[in-house]
Amino acid sequence: MPEHSYTAESADFQSLLTMGFSEIEAAKLVHMKDHVTEQTEYRELLQESRRLDFIRWLIDHDRISH
């Protein structure tokens, strides 16, 4: 994970430091917080894509009609 200069200016980063986290730990936690939403959205898109693929398979194999 690359270090970002904006991290040191973050209120979250400063708060984590005051709680006793090291700079490296705080930077990793801030990074994770910033990217967890992206990962959740990706997983949801992937699940939706799989559902649609399954529905397409059902239609293609005459298991259901549209």
Side-chain angles (χ1 to χ4, degrees):
M1 177 186 75
E3 296 287 329
H4 296 287
S5 60
Y6 71 86
T7 304
E9 300 168 8
S10 163
D12 291 333
F13 181 78
Q14 295 301 325
S15 177
L16 290 168
L17 291 179
T18 61
M19 286 189 237
F21 288 93
S22 71
E23 288 186 13
I24 293 171
E25 292 169 331
K28 287 181 180 180
L29 288 169
V30 170
H31 178 79
M32 287 174 59
K33 180 184 175 198
D34 290 345
H35 293 88
V36 73
T37 302
E38 295 169 9
Q39 293 171 2
T40 301
E41 290 171 358
Y42 173 76
R43 282 193 304 264
E44 289 172 354
L45 287 171
L46 188 59
Q47 287 176 341
E48 182 68 15
S49 175
R50 288 178 179 161
R51 285 186 200 106
L52 292 172
D53 287 343
F54 179 63
I55 291 169
R56 195 173 296 115
W57 182 90
L58 290 171
I59 293 169
D60 290 346
H61 291 86
D62 297 321
R63 304 291 178 149
I64 61 172
S65 59
H66 58 284

